[in-house]
Amino acid sequence: MTDALPKPPSGGSGRLLPPDTGRDRPLFLVAAILVFLACIAALGARGAWVQAQAWTSDLEGSLTIQVRPVGDRDTSEDAARAAEIARGLSGVRDATAHDRDHALSLLAPWLGEGNLPDDLPLPLLVEVELDTATVRDGGIAVAAMQAELDAAGIAASVDDHSRWAGAVRRAARTAQTLGLSLLALLAGAAAAVVAFAARASLAARVDVIDALHLCGAEDRFIAGLFQRRFFMLGLKSGVAGAVIAALVSILVSLGRAPADMAFFLPQWDAAPFELLLLGGAPLLAGLTAAISARLAVVSDLRGRW
Amino acid sequence: MTASPHSDPEPVVRFDNVGMRYGRGPEILRDLSFDLPRGSFQFLTGPSGAGKTSLLKLIYLAAKPSRGLISFFGRDAATLPRGELPDLRRSIGVVFQEFRLLNHLSVFDNVALPLRVTGRKRSDYAEDVAELLAWVGLGDKMTALPPTLSGGEQQRVAIARAVVGQPEILIADEPTGNVDAEMGMRLLRLFVELNKLGTTIVIATHDLQLVRMIDAPVMTLSNGHLHIRPPRSERQRHAEAREADGREALDSVAQAGRPAGNRVSADEGEDGDD
Ligand SMILES: Nc1ncnc2c1ncn2[C@@H]1O[C@H](COP(=O)(O)OP(=O)(O)OP(=O)(O)O)[C@@H](O)[C@H]1O
Ligand SMILES: [Mg+2]
């Protein structure tokens, strides 16, 4: 028994917490799916914001003057005059008077083509483009433009699109809030799933916990074991989920179709923010899993003496 | 319950009217008051189900008493802050009745566990662990997994794990139940060596052979109560005193504070022993 000089076995120490593949695989799958959905929700929220940004800047960058037909006045002449007046105002880059055909083409979707008598008086539109600097400073005085038109005796009304821009912005905000709430819900679900799994894994490994606890291991030592394990698990699920989300959004943006999906997903070619988001997702998943596992383990250990 | 409690000014463990029950069950241990003096060695016996393991659980901080006071090194365990319990546990080595080895870890890793949880590096303790394993006859089983070992081998792993951290208190629950007489002797000698180095030792056992081998007090549990039989040498001193002066014998017994019935039952237990 004591004949040979004892030599400790070479190699490192065995893992105190053995991997638990039977339990880990479904958890990995669920977490990966949650991360995938969270990524899509985040990309959607981001996409809605970018779209709204583009649309409102279009709407805010222009005005529309509607010239009404009055008595025997020549509406096209009035429209041309209105465009001229608009061009004369500071902050206006250009103004274009549209003709009767343009008005008819706008009505065609509702009334069909050729269904209107030629002598039916129609209002004409003047499109006014604003300087970028003017838009940034809050647009031009609509009232001043209206006054000029009134003074020229033109029956016209100026529309600065603010009603539409407001509606688009509200819709975008709603989509964004929805996306972010979805994100929060998914994060909550992920945390709950991990806490549940951590408790299950704790129960399955109660022999290890008991042995460590009675050997004098501190709570944080034991919690650390579970925390590290679930961090790795969350990280791996996160990578899987984020990669799939990236693939899906790349496919959508490459094919540019179906269009209603592309509406929610970003244009892939210029998207540093989206890349950052997808890159950060695994880390966030890992942290969520680690924190959630730690809380579960610590609360269990607190129940012991 | 035996009196004579609390002679040591600061015992490593002191029980004061301790009672214990599991859940809403009956009280398994009742009114236990005793000291484990520093550096003492005692056996704990009693019929199966008497509560030996339960009493040991109280000593190794795996269970709380349902009433009474337990103090370690002069400090009430119930009021110890949670952060100080790990250190206290590290000073108590335990050989569990059912070993509680971790089946996924090698023999070496199992034994190293108490050192590992303190955050020490493997290179720090590897030699000591290997030496200890060789000493208990498991030098060639260091990389084996516990399920591949015999019962006796597992028991020796459990003992090595309990002593590797050089605890101040060593609790052993049936530590020789699975080994032959020779290995039992060898393990007992290990406990005696540790005791000589100052470790306070409690060994729960059914093995009267083992108990007879050492001149140590024997704590006996029955019906929830504890009786303590002093070591043979002390009893002999009393007997001699009784012979020397018959009239003073009663005083001597009374001074020791032990009811006569206790001594009688102890003597009965000894019939044919020596
Ligand atoms: N975890 C538990 N929950 C409920 N009752 C328990 C528990 N552990 C032990 N008991 C009961 O407490 C009593 C004492 O058990 P204990 O294990 O302390 O006895 P023991 O003296 O160690 O017996 P043995 O010599 O067989 O090991 C028994 O009646 C047992 O049924
Ligand atoms: Mg027992």
Side-chain angles (χ1 to χ4, degrees):
Chain A
M1 283 190 207
T2 44
D3 38 347
L5 214 82
K7 269 240 171 59
S10 53
S13 303
R15 295 171 63 172
L16 292 178
L17 210 58
D20 187 356
T21 37
R23 210 178 310 275
D24 286 357
R25 220 171 289 132
L27 179 63
F28 170 83
L29 202 69
V30 170
I33 291 171
L34 287 172
V35 171
F36 167 74
L37 292 175
C39 284
I40 294 293
L43 289 177
R46 164 74 176 172
W49 185 76
V50 170
Q51 282 289 3
Q53 211 56 9
W55 284 348
T56 48
S57 76
D58 275 358
L59 285 171
E60 282 167 351
S62 64
L63 297 176
T64 308
I65 303 172
Q66 192 182 53
V67 181
R68 287 186 300 277
V70 181
D72 51 359
R73 286 182 73 100
D74 183 344
T75 318
S76 354
E77 206 170 279
D78 276 356
R81 288 247 304 132
E84 215 168 289
I85 291 171
R87 268 196 295 272
L89 292 173
S90 77
V92 172
R93 190 169 66 205
D94 198 9
T96 320
H98 291 289
D99 56 15
R100 187 179 164 85
D101 287 346
H102 177 261
L104 281 173
S105 74
L106 287 179
L107 289 172
W110 283 275
L111 304 176
E113 274 180 64
N115 293 334
L116 290 176
D118 279 350
D119 53 354
L120 181 77
L122 283 180
L124 297 181
L125 298 182
V126 178
E127 214 171 285
V128 182
E129 282 175 61
L130 302 180
D131 286 335
T132 350
T134 314
V135 175
R136 211 177 37 238
D137 298 343
I140 64 167
V142 174
M145 184 180 279
Q146 184 73 57
E148 293 262 347
L149 292 170
D150 290 349
I154 302 170
S157 51
V158 181
D159 175 10
D160 66 353
H161 303 160
S162 59
R163 202 151 56 89
W164 302 110
V168 167
R169 244 185 261 114
R170 272 195 303 280
R173 217 170 12 240
T174 307
Q176 216 176 348
T177 312
L178 209 67
L180 292 179
S181 329
L182 215 55
L183 202 65
L185 280 177
L186 289 166
V193 164
V194 171
F196 180 78
R199 271 176 217 278
S201 137
L202 198 76
R205 284 283 156 220
V206 78
D207 56 335
V208 180
I209 313 241
D210 271 346
L212 292 172
H213 186 64
L214 291 176
C215 277
E218 279 156 3
D219 289 357
R220 62 162 180 260
F221 180 92
I222 301 175
L225 297 175
F226 285 86
Q227 194 179 321
R228 269 193 297 283
R229 212 180 105 194
F230 280 90
F231 177 78
M232 288 315 291
L233 201 123
L235 196 69
K236 284 186 207 154
S237 313
V239 167
V243 163
I244 297 172
L247 287 180
V248 166
S249 70
I250 286 174
L251 282 182
V252 167
S253 82
L254 279 184
R256 294 276 186 269
D260 42 356
M261 214 164 162
F263 167 77
F264 282 112
L265 292 173
Q267 303 295 298
W268 194 249
D269 26 79
F273 177 88
E274 283 75 4
L275 271 177
L276 199 74
L277 191 147
L278 290 174
L283 209 67
L284 263 173
L287 286 177
T288 306
I291 291 170
S292 165
R294 178 184 196 90
L295 291 179
V297 174
V298 165
S299 96
D300 178 279
L301 289 172
R302 286 280 147 93
R304 291 157 195 263
W305 191 16
Chain B
M1 172 61 231
T2 50
S4 103
H6 316 333
S7 39
D8 188 331
E10 195 180 276
V12 290
V13 180
R14 166 167 292 176
F15 274 50
D16 237 328
N17 283 308
V18 170
M20 185 205 182
R21 63 174 82 238
Y22 287 102
R24 291 161 177 276
E27 204 163 50
I28 289 166
L29 302 173
R30 264 170 263 154
D31 301 314
L32 306 194
S33 297
F34 64 90
D35 284 351
L36 298 183
R38 198 175 285 270
S40 61
F41 188 120
Q42 41 262 304
F43 288 108
L44 174 62
T45 62
S48 181
K52 299 185 292 297
T53 300
S54 306
L55 172 53
L56 296 184
K57 272 190 198 166
L58 292 175
I59 303 179
Y60 63 70
L61 292 158
K64 282 185 179 180
S66 28
R67 62 190 174 83
L69 194 103
I70 303 177
S71 47
F72 292 85
F73 306 103
R75 304 181 62 192
D76 176 7
T79 60
L80 275 181
R82 190 176 169 77
E84 291 186 23
L85 290 173
D87 260 343
L88 182 53
R89 288 197 171 96
R90 286 172 197 177
S91 67
I92 306 171
V94 189
V95 184
F96 301 99
Q97 192 167 10
E98 68 284 19
F99 315 145
R100 300 211 199 167
L101 301 175
L102 299 181
N103 289 338
H104 65 285
L105 291 181
S106 69
V107 163
F108 180 90
D109 283 338
N110 264 287
V111 172
L113 201 64
L115 305 174
R116 203 164 157 187
V117 302
T118 64
R120 283 172 63 183
K121 280 204 293 289
R122 191 178 192 273
S123 52
D124 261 13
Y125 57 70
E127 304 274 319
D128 297 344
V129 171
E131 195 178 334
L132 178 60
L133 277 169
W135 200 87
V136 297
L138 293 171
D140 53 349
K141 298 272 188 183
M142 285 195 253
T143 56
L145 294 179
T148 67
L149 301 181
S150 76
E153 288 168 334
Q154 292 186 25
Q155 190 145 48
R156 282 177 273 156
V157 177
I159 291 172
R161 181 179 65 183
V163 304
V164 73
Q166 297 174 346
E168 296 201 51
I169 309 171
L170 180 70
I171 310 291
D173 202 348
E174 293 286 351
T176 58
N178 290 274
V179 295
D180 58 33
E182 194 193 337
M183 183 47 80
M185 270 304 301
R186 194 182 166 80
L187 295 175
L188 190 62
R189 275 210 304 280
L190 169 63
F191 295 141
V192 170
E193 284 305 313
L194 288 170
N195 180 240
K196 278 187 189 146
L197 294 172
T199 309
T200 306
I201 294 184
V202 184
I203 299 177
T205 183
H206 285 121
D207 186 353
L208 293 178
Q209 203 78 26
L210 205 68
V211 172
R212 252 178 255 123
M213 240 140 8
I214 301 203
D215 184 25
V218 179
M219 307 161 78
T220 306
L221 272 173
S222 71
N223 299 322
H225 292 287
L226 184 69
H227 302 258
I228 301 178
R229 186 181 72 181
R232 196 171 19 205
S233 50
E234 200 175 312
R235 278 179 287 139
Q236 260 160 17
R237 265 207 316 281
H238 289 152
E240 281 159 15
R242 198 166 42 203
E243 266 170 41
D245 191 339
R247 278 175 307 153
E248 281 174 30
L250 275 171
D251 297 346
S252 158
V253 171
Q255 220 175 327
R258 294 182 190 87
N262 211 24
R263 187 168 49 81
V264 170
S265 76
D267 287 344
E268 279 166 2
E270 235 187 347
D271 279 352
D273 282 4
D274 313 75

